[in-house]
Amino acid sequence: MPVSLRRLAVALTVCCALLAGSTAWAASQETAPRSPSVAVAAATPSPSTSAEKQKFAKTRFVANAALAAGATYEWIYKPYKEGKFKKGAHGRKLTLIKAGLAGAFTYNRLKAAVRNAQGDPTLSKALAPLQAAITNLKDLPAKLRKGDGSAANSFNDTINKVKEAGKSAGAEVKNKVPSTSELNNGS
């Protein structure tokens, strides 16, 4: 395929200009006296008052708990109620894969919600009794893949308890269904 002479000339000119510019820059760096440089760490933004910390803790808690609740309802509890986990059900394999992903996602988001709740004393006290129930969710995705229906109820019960605890602490949680890409990424 022939290359036009005009394109070749432009490419050659650009290459020469880049070479000349980089050579001039390197020469100026060698002759300039070096002064010691000081690295300054960038300050991480943080809330300044305890009221702001609590507000952001509740907001992050609600966001993470809502995603966990939405994933549980959409891909675990609703298919369970529709009988899609039973042997011989149409699309069972895909439903079980989605439920396993949703289970891992739910566990991840609930752990994040618990970390967020620790920034608010009221939320922290409300969620303290649920630590064991949330930790027990870790093994349930494997049970879901095996078709154990009690795992779906366990997820739903734990989510409802987290919602109640959030509501009692002034942080009402409503279901927010995550996208499939959020499920795959785990966040």
Side-chain angles (χ1 to χ4, degrees):
M1 174 155 57
V3 177
S4 70
L5 191 56
R6 184 175 178 186
R7 274 191 180 170
L8 191 59
V10 169
L12 185 60
T13 305
V14 169
C15 288
C16 289
L18 287 173
L19 182 62
S22 63
T23 304
W25 178 80
S28 70
Q29 291 297 315
E30 290 176 6
T31 59
R34 297 216 174 225
S35 61
S37 61
V38 177
V40 178
T44 57
S46 64
S48 57
T49 66
S50 62
E52 287 177 344
K53 288 180 185 176
Q54 289 176 2
K55 179 180 176 186
F56 294 132
K58 281 185 179 181
T59 303
R60 291 191 312 253
F61 165 80
V62 168
N64 284 318
L67 286 170
T72 297
Y73 180 75
E74 186 69 25
W75 288 297
I76 297 174
Y77 194 69
K78 192 165 92 174
Y80 167 70
K81 283 297 197 186
E82 293 171 355
K84 292 186 177 182
F85 291 151
K86 294 180 181 175
K87 291 189 185 225
H90 179 70
R92 179 177 185 259
K93 188 180 255 185
L94 182 61
T95 303
L96 288 174
I97 290 170
K98 286 180 182 179
L101 281 172
F105 179 84
T106 298
Y107 175 75
N108 182 341
R109 292 299 87 205
L110 284 178
K111 291 303 265 184
V114 168
R115 282 192 306 272
N116 297 144
Q118 291 170 350
D120 182 66
T122 310
L123 267 175
S124 182
K125 288 177 187 173
L127 286 178
L130 301 176
Q131 295 283 353
I134 292 170
T135 302
N136 289 339
L137 292 180
K138 186 175 187 176
D139 300 328
L140 292 181
K143 289 182 180 180
L144 282 173
R145 281 186 231 112
K146 292 178 185 173
D148 186 358
S150 66
N153 282 329
S154 297
F155 269 103
N156 196 45
D157 292 343
T158 302
I159 290 295
N160 287 334
K161 289 176 186 175
V162 169
K163 284 180 168 182
E164 289 171 15
K167 190 173 184 176
S168 71
E172 189 173 352
V173 176
K174 295 182 181 178
N175 291 6
K176 181 182 182 303
V177 179
S179 67
T180 309
S181 65
E182 285 176 314
L183 265 185
N184 289 334
N185 294 335
S187 58

